[in-house]
Amino acid sequence: MRLSATEDANRRLLRARDAIDRHFAESLDVPTLARVALMSPAHFIREFKATFGEPPHRYLQRRRLERAMTLLRDSAASVTDVGLAVGFASTGTFSRTFASIIGVSSSAYRARSRPLPAPGCFVHAWTRPAASSSFGEAAAVTGP
Amino acid sequence: MFNAITITTVQVLDQDEAIAFYVGKLGFAVSNDVDMGFTRWLTVALPHDPERHLLLEVPGPPALSEEVAGQVRDLLTKGALGTACVLTTDDCRKAFEELSAVGVEFTQEPTEQPYGVDATLRDPFGNQIRITQHPTDAA
């Protein structure tokens, strides 16, 4: 099919974003993702942010946290195991990142959450922590 | 008042490539392929659910101006048009293995959910499709 230059770039970037969605628990780095998008690393970071509104590292972080939130809601795995399962190298890093972006600790989040019986992709999209949240800034807690 | 949902639209960028994917890989069948002069009316349906059709539509004139069509194409190729459909299957893992073998791109491998097992794939244009296997003991 015939794609404009922008559409072709969009599609390649989407492939890289899909790779993050699928492989979020692995150690992903920018050069690897840039290769998926057939771009140089610097170009990839710039274009990813322009296309999806946030840099790839940030997207990966939010993907991991969205997945962690799901596991905290729906499974009995320990907080430590949840952090490792979604790709955080240490419990400390996971706990700090979770608390700073979600605004409550992972244990507190688990205590007040309930299962969400909607298709996973819908839950993923709507419970992912807001893009505007950042380190040191408490964000509204998602979930019932 | 209504009996069923019979046709829903899925935006694609090339109808022959759409047939190769939805029919050739996912197992839909062409239900209508009519040259209407101003556009090609192309619908597909699953053999097990023949009355529910996906209309595979290319955004463009005369329905949309070139400018608006460009906006739709931009959103589609960014994956922003969302989920085209959710398909149920008796064996999600088998579907995943078979489709992966023919090059279908998945964004989520089969995952246990409270409501069953599901996985997510991406069509060539940017649409997402969900595959769900419900528990056999579902009420």
Side-chain angles (χ1 to χ4, degrees):
Chain A
M1 63 192 152
R2 210 169 309 256
L3 296 182
S4 72
T6 297
E7 290 159 11
D8 181 63
N10 285 350
R11 196 64 189 86
R12 286 186 274 123
L13 289 159
L14 182 58
R15 228 163 233 121
R17 199 185 80 175
D18 284 349
I20 295 175
D21 278 349
R22 183 167 171 179
H23 300 291
F24 61 89
E26 299 164 30
S27 63
L28 292 167
D29 61 15
V30 164
T32 299
L33 293 169
R35 276 194 292 276
V36 172
L38 306 177
M39 292 178 182
S40 73
H43 188 55
F44 171 68
I45 293 175
R46 202 164 49 245
E47 291 301 307
F48 191 102
K49 182 173 182 183
T51 303
F52 301 122
E54 66 188 327
H57 171 72
R58 184 50 155 189
Y59 183 88
L60 170 60
Q61 194 175 57
R62 296 200 303 118
R63 169 66 170 142
R64 286 177 168 170
L65 288 183
E66 167 268 302
R67 201 69 215 139
M69 290 162 74
T70 296
L71 291 175
L72 290 169
R73 273 196 313 268
D74 295 340
S75 81
S78 70
V79 168
T80 296
D81 287 342
V82 165
L84 294 174
V86 302
F88 282 92
S90 76
T91 301
T93 303
F94 170 58
S95 297
R96 272 194 309 278
T97 306
F98 191 100
S100 66
I101 292 181
I102 307 301
V104 295
S105 72
S106 45
S107 301
Y109 177 81
R110 162 169 267 168
R112 65 212 274 189
S113 66
R114 295 288 181 273
L116 302 175
C121 57
F122 194 79
V123 175
H124 293 174
W126 289 98
T127 62
R128 188 167 302 197
S132 57
S133 58
S134 61
F135 289 101
E137 172 192 329
V141 176
T142 55
Chain B
M1 185 184 298
F2 300 112
N3 307 106
I5 295 173
T6 55
I7 302 179
T8 52
T9 302
V10 177
Q11 301 293 321
V12 299
L13 299 175
D14 180 289
Q15 283 172 315
D16 291 317
E17 284 197 39
I19 289 177
F21 182 79
Y22 284 90
V23 175
K25 292 186 175 178
L26 297 194
F28 282 79
V30 172
S31 39
N32 287 284
D33 189 352
V34 182
D35 181 358
M36 303 178 77
F38 52 89
T39 194
R40 176 183 181 184
W41 176 262
L42 175 65
T43 67
V44 297
L46 291 171
H48 282 180
D49 194 12
E51 297 308 315
R52 182 165 295 166
H53 309 265
L54 299 181
L55 170 61
L56 304 175
E57 182 178 48
V58 176
L64 299 175
S65 69
E66 290 286 4
E67 180 189 351
V68 173
Q71 291 167 359
V72 175
R73 292 175 63 105
D74 190 56
L75 290 172
L76 173 57
T77 50
K78 289 184 180 183
L81 291 191
T83 300
C85 56
V86 178
L87 304 173
T88 58
T89 177
D90 292 333
D91 191 332
C92 186
R93 291 188 169 84
K94 182 180 175 192
F96 169 77
E97 297 298 340
E98 291 180 354
L99 294 175
S100 295
V102 293
V104 173
E105 300 175 23
F106 279 81
T107 64
Q108 183 205 297
E109 296 175 30
T111 304
E112 297 286 340
Q113 304 279 13
Y115 50 83
V117 181
D118 66 13
T120 309
L121 61 92
R122 184 76 69 182
D123 86 354
F125 317 106
N127 296 298
Q128 207 166 225
I129 292 171
R130 196 97 182 158
I131 298 177
T132 302
Q133 173 192 335
H134 293 295
T136 50
D137 60 329

